[in-house]
Amino acid sequence: MGLNTGEHLITNMGIREYFRESVRAAVANQQLTVNEETILYVVNMLTSFTRSDSLFERTEHGYEIRALAMIYADTVAAESASQKNRVLQRLGDIALFISGLFSYSLHRSLVDVDYYAAMGGNAYAHLADSMRNNYKGKTISMVFTELSRKFLALADVLAEINENSVLASDTDILRLYELWLKTGSRRAARQLQQCGIQPVSFTAGQQ
């Protein structure tokens, strides 16, 4: 199994279109220069993380987002280069996701956004080096390089998306979508539809 670029996880075009428009608008608003491939990667990452089984992992304490240090430890235990790359990719993606959309929670934790930027940026940098000598991996290597070098700028892009959500600040689009996935709430579905998003269930057979 190769690196996941997010494409096989896209099962809801409504949410994906929302993120694509939002990411491009935030990039333009912040006057950033970001390659289209990197924008697509970020959009696919956000789309995939609307699935609880993509964002959360089963642990002895239940479903939760594992600490970055624990994810990094998995790279040491990896039995192959491809497995190590997959873990590094998840480390980078989780770090970017949290530092961008949930930065407010970091102010109440023992670590701040600089820690997430260092962990995520380094993970993406290692991935870029690993893929650079692979002919088929040259494009994704350039994406990882940009994600590493512009980590904080892209985290700001995600933060702007969160701040500009038409939803109430305590129920952003991801939390609302997660609520609908878990409970089937009609109210949550109506709020999503008001944002132009048509909620679609994920079945067990979808990849």
Side-chain angles (χ1 to χ4, degrees):
M1 181 177 179
L3 282 178
N4 161 34
T5 58
E7 293 179 2
H8 71 286
L9 290 173
I10 299 171
T11 55
N12 184 329
M13 291 306 293
I15 196 77
R16 182 173 184 269
E17 289 301 318
Y18 171 84
F19 284 132
R20 183 168 65 178
E21 293 180 8
S22 298
V23 170
R24 286 177 173 167
V27 165
N29 187 52
Q30 297 187 31
Q31 298 181 326
L32 295 176
T33 300
V34 182
N35 290 325
E36 180 63 24
E37 292 82 2
T38 303
I39 290 177
L40 178 62
Y41 182 94
V42 173
V43 169
N44 289 342
M45 179 194 73
L46 292 173
T47 304
S48 72
F49 280 159
T50 61
R51 289 182 55 168
S52 58
D53 60 348
S54 293
L55 182 58
F56 299 93
E57 297 181 53
R58 182 189 292 275
T59 71
E60 59 182 9
H61 306 294
Y63 284 97
E64 62 182 14
I65 300 177
R66 294 173 66 213
L68 298 188
M70 295 181 64
I71 300 176
Y72 179 77
D74 291 344
T75 67
V76 179
E79 298 179 354
S80 65
S82 61
Q83 182 182 6
K84 181 177 181 179
N85 284 345
R86 287 195 295 272
V87 176
L88 284 171
Q89 184 182 15
R90 179 165 181 80
L91 175 58
D93 290 352
I94 291 288
L96 180 60
F97 182 81
I98 293 177
S99 61
L101 276 78
F102 296 97
S103 58
Y104 62 86
S105 65
L106 297 181
H107 296 306
R108 302 191 299 271
S109 68
L110 297 177
V111 297
D112 58 17
V113 70
D114 290 338
Y115 169 79
Y116 278 77
M119 292 287 282
N122 287 335
Y124 285 139
H126 283 303
L127 279 169
D129 289 340
S130 175
M131 303 298 292
R132 188 167 290 118
N133 296 324
N134 184 332
Y135 176 76
K136 294 183 179 180
K138 285 186 176 180
T139 298
I140 192 64
S141 175
M142 290 187 290
V143 169
F144 288 135
T145 295
E146 188 163 45
L147 287 168
S148 175
R149 293 176 178 175
K150 300 179 180 179
F151 188 96
L152 287 175
L154 289 168
D156 284 343
V157 165
L158 300 191
E160 180 174 324
I161 293 172
N162 195 35
E163 291 168 0
N164 290 342
S165 172
V166 298
L167 301 173
S169 60
D170 60 340
T171 52
D172 61 38
I173 189 70
L174 292 173
R175 290 180 177 180
L176 188 63
Y177 201 90
E178 182 72 12
L179 173 65
W180 181 81
L181 285 174
K182 288 183 175 180
T183 68
S185 165
R186 292 183 180 180
R187 179 175 180 274
R190 286 196 298 271
Q191 287 182 279
L192 287 168
Q193 290 167 348
Q194 289 172 1
C195 297
I197 297 170
Q198 182 61 44
V200 176
S201 297
F202 298 113
T203 64
Q206 287 177 313
Q207 300 294 320

